[in-house]
Amino acid sequence: MKFKFLLFFLLSQYSFSQKTPLKLWYKQPAGYFEEALPIGNGMQGATIFGGTETDKIFLNDLTLWSGEPVNANMNPEAYKYLPLVREALKNENYKAADSLIRNIQGKFSESYAPLGTLFFDFKKGKTNNYYRELSLDDAIARVNYEQDGAKISREYFYSNPDKALIIKMKSSVPGKLNFDIRFESLLKYSVKPENKTLVFEGRAPIKADPNYVNNNIDPIVYAENRGTRFFGNISLKNKGGKIGKTATAISVHNATEVVVIVSMATSFNGFDKDPFTQGKDEKAIAKNQLSAIQSKSYEVLKNRHLADYKNYFDRVKLDLNPGKIEDLPTNERLKKYATGAEDRYLETLYFQFGRYLLISSSRTSGVPANLQGLWNPYVRPPWSSNYTMNINAEENYWLAENTNLSELHAPFLSFIENLEKTGRITAKTFYGANGWACHHNSDIWAMTNPVGNFGKGDPVWANWAMGGTWASTHLWEHYLFTKDKLFLKEKAYPLMKGAAEFCLSMIVKDQNDQYITSPSTSPENVYITDIGYKGATLYGGTADIAMIKELFVDLIGAINVLENDWDFKNKLEEVLANLHPYQVSKKGNLQEWYYDWADAEPQHRHQSHLYGMFPGSHLNMTETPGLAKAVKTTLEIKGDETTGWSKGWRINLWARLWDGNRAYKMYRELLKYVEPDEVKVNYQRGGGTYPNLFDAHPPFQIDGNFGGAAAVAEMLLQSTSDKIILLPALPDAWKTGSVKGLKARGGFEVDMSWEAGKLKTLTIKGKPGGETEIVYKDYVKNISLEKDKIFEAKF
Ligand code: FUC
């Protein structure tokens, strides 16, 4: 067994040395968060600055949030306002509807908390030949420099198998490592050195308001014996020299090599368990993790980390034929790219960085990657770094299936199980509705209520009710990519059905006897009625109808597979047959509102009414070409300048419109260099990419990284339950290349190469096996593959 592992490891190292390394690298330490390097094991993570005098490392744990389990029954009278809002809408009194709907609001979400910061204080002094990198091939960050005639090197990785941050520091000259290790936190905490270990503990607030709620004098509240606790050990193993301590720090004197191990845990024990009184024993967990590591050598820990990480990362290879790659630091590369330079290496790096980030932030059941993945230094991070359900939380998972990381979708899919629990109470109390609902925001406590602080939120974002509908379509997508029938039957179907039952409660008949939602809002857009009223609440918003349609079509697919619940299928079909249809506006765009009203902000970043084209699929180039044209006109009117996540979405939309060159143009714009937030710049900052390749909304949001990476796959391969379309949106700029390991619906794994813009070779593996139709331009072929069997073709 051991020998096999070693052989695998040596072979993988050998094949890796044959190709261009995928890495971010810099000639100086990070000065800002958006220059620092993120690593993570899917639950915990670190952001590394790599300084030579002080190396600062932000520590995060995905399960450390402010708050406690939510009382979903927070506004028990709210449902009484639903008939009043509906009545106002029926009377076309939009102003009254906008005001009445505020009675259907609850509390804001809680905030994702920063755990603490680790500092290594080194001797001050001149250094030379500084180099800092993050290797995506092995998920290891490295810092090297020279000081006092010694080569100093540091390696950092966050191990999933060993649940710890592991750092190795080395000096080429014996005895040259001298430093102190400190720990600080912005939360309530204490720290003390014990032998060769620095021990810290603390707890999160029981409330941290969003940073846009500034009318509250007490935005952060702590309480004794309440809130999520955390605990950690920082332990050291040294070669040479000795370890001492001060009152709050551990000191290393004259060592040659030091391995630092950070093992930490929180008391979070599930969305519905009090994290203090019913919490996990975070001390025992952290200590046990540490003692399990103590006996393992650094090399063993590193090999275990590599085997674990590469199992995911190596599944997909993308080669865009970059030619001779200029050896430029990543920040300079981005700046040069922004001048219009070709850089297919950077374009590949950004794609693979998205996959790297998902592997590093999405491996915790019930706790998906949040607005910043898991890397957050702020107590009140932008938008609470929570789950914004009207795009951002879902966009995080667009790359999970098609870039062959299906298992990493599980944290989001299991989160939906939690949402369903609070969401049933939300549906009942806020609307008197069946099923379960989720609104604009959620958090680790699976809150599902409309936010707004009981009437203070603008309905344009606070009252959007389709969060559960959108999220539930991910369950069907997971089934389509895996064909896991047991998952469909036991997990997905009941959740999807509950989300649909809520939709059935929210629809009414319009004057034409067609189904529409009432009330409705369209994320986060404002209409102008014919008499000039600017508002948010309406009936029959297109986005609602699009999401309902997608979910109902998915459910019918599920019923056909499971061969059960035919009565419910009849109900869904009846609604689908009588849904208010899409409308094309007088300008030729897809109408967002029930009437052909004007938009208060025609270039607005949200485009939820285009949902059916992407991430949905009931609008497409073959079956609904007319509506696809209206989608295109909508995007033309909106223009291309927008926030990071919105660019990510539009690139996917252009890919689905089979316009590879426009998709590519916007991909380039997503990669537009953006300075760190604290740097003063004299040009207009817009969506783009920070020096550490984090997506800039701005500020940092990880959704653009994930959406952008998903879009690259979407440009190369599109699929439905019974079709695979090859190179549907290949841009002229990617004339020659190859890709291995992309996934298509049906569970197929696709490798292909192309030259001069034309498909050359194709290999499709059936991974559970099944039938599909392959389409490449005029080439159409039906294939039927048994499990693990391969179809190959040359063009
Ligand atoms: C939505 C967007 C904002 C931002 C926030 C996190 O509300 O409209 O642009 O991304 O989520």
Side-chain angles (χ1 to χ4, degrees), residues 371 383 388 392 440 524 605-606 645 697 701:
L371 194 67
W383 294 287
T388 305
N392 318 79
H440 172 240
E524 301 177 16
R605 62 194 178 280
H606 281 269
W645 63 258
H697 176 290
Q701 285 187 196

Side-chain angles (χ1 to χ4, degrees), residues 507-518 520 538-549 573-584 590-596 618-619 627:
I507 52 177
V508 296
K509 286 257 174 107
D510 69 0
Q511 58 265 40
N512 304 321
D513 223 22
Q514 289 173 327
Y515 288 112
I516 54 166
T517 49
S518 179
S520 167
L538 74 155
Y539 53 78
T542 307
D544 287 358
I545 295 171
M547 288 169 204
I548 289 173
K549 186 163 186 176
E573 280 177 340
E574 189 268 321
V575 173
L576 282 176
N578 294 293
L579 264 185
H580 173 61
Y582 282 105
Q583 305 289 317
V584 177
L590 200 73
Q591 206 166 291
E592 180 159 6
W593 320 108
Y594 185 82
Y595 297 107
D596 197 0
H618 64 264
L619 296 184
L627 293 172

Side-chain angles (χ1 to χ4, degrees), residues 172-442:
S172 63
V173 175
K176 289 275 186 180
L177 288 180
N178 285 287
F179 60 93
D180 283 354
I181 305 182
R182 286 182 289 130
F183 172 88
E184 286 178 10
S185 177
L186 297 171
L187 308 181
K188 296 264 186 236
Y189 80 105
S190 66
V191 58
K192 63 172 192 293
E194 283 175 8
N195 302 323
K196 285 186 177 185
T197 307
L198 193 63
V199 180
F200 58 83
E201 59 187 300
R203 66 181 201 282
I206 56 159
K207 185 187 83 146
D209 277 337
N211 61 357
Y212 48 85
V213 181
N214 44 23
N215 53 0
N216 195 329
I217 44 166
D218 235 353
I220 298 166
V221 177
Y222 286 92
E224 282 303 317
N225 299 330
R226 287 173 63 184
T228 305
R229 299 181 303 263
F230 64 89
F231 176 88
N233 303 284
I234 305 166
S235 99
L236 269 71
K237 281 192 210 171
N238 57 309
K239 279 193 190 155
K242 59 181 193 339
I243 309 286
K245 61 179 181 181
T246 68
T248 53
I250 300 273
S251 336
V252 174
H253 304 284
N254 305 325
T256 306
E257 194 180 294
V258 179
V259 175
V260 181
I261 297 171
V262 183
S263 166
M264 54 190 203
T266 80
S267 66
F268 176 76
N269 195 16
F271 78 103
D272 54 355
K273 299 270 184 330
D274 184 294
F276 205 93
T277 57
Q278 302 168 294
K280 284 191 176 164
D281 185 347
E282 72 284 2
K283 289 187 185 165
I285 298 170
K287 284 180 182 163
N288 290 343
Q289 283 168 182
L290 189 62
S291 53
I293 297 172
Q294 294 289 14
S295 59
K296 296 182 184 120
S297 72
Y298 179 77
E299 286 313 311
V300 167
L301 292 170
K302 186 167 156 179
N303 288 343
R304 282 163 59 84
H305 160 71
L306 288 173
D308 169 78
Y309 172 74
K310 284 171 168 293
N311 172 41
Y312 293 103
F313 189 73
D314 289 356
R315 290 176 189 175
V316 174
K317 310 254 187 248
L318 175 66
D319 180 352
L320 294 177
N321 191 29
K324 189 176 160 0
I325 301 163
E326 203 180 345
D327 205 14
L328 273 182
T330 307
N331 50 335
E332 289 174 32
R333 254 199 133 85
L334 280 166
K335 283 182 185 163
K336 187 164 178 197
Y337 188 70
T339 66
E342 279 186 12
D343 194 342
R344 287 185 291 280
Y345 173 78
L346 180 66
E347 289 161 359
T348 310
L349 191 69
Y350 189 89
F351 166 74
Q352 291 288 22
F353 186 58
R355 298 185 64 248
Y356 165 85
L357 290 172
L358 196 73
I359 302 167
S360 309
S361 65
S362 185
R363 295 177 73 178
T364 307
S365 183
V367 190
N370 59 51
L371 194 67
Q372 295 179 187
L374 64 67
W375 299 276
N376 165 45
Y378 312 110
V379 181
R380 295 177 80 195
W383 294 287
S384 306
S385 195
N386 67 11
Y387 304 111
T388 305
M389 302 299 293
N390 70 13
I391 171 69
N392 318 79
E394 289 91 349
E395 184 164 348
N396 278 5
Y397 285 88
W398 285 351
L399 78 167
E401 301 290 347
N402 61 358
T403 76
N404 212 335
L405 298 172
S406 188
E407 303 94 316
L408 309 182
H409 207 170
F412 185 71
L413 303 176
S414 48
F415 177 60
I416 302 172
E417 290 176 49
N418 303 347
L419 295 177
E420 185 256 358
K421 303 266 173 1
T422 64
R424 286 203 178 263
I425 302 169
T426 295
K428 263 281 159 295
T429 52
F430 283 88
Y431 306 97
N434 299 325
W436 66 274
C438 171
H439 293 79
H440 172 240
N441 287 127
S442 189

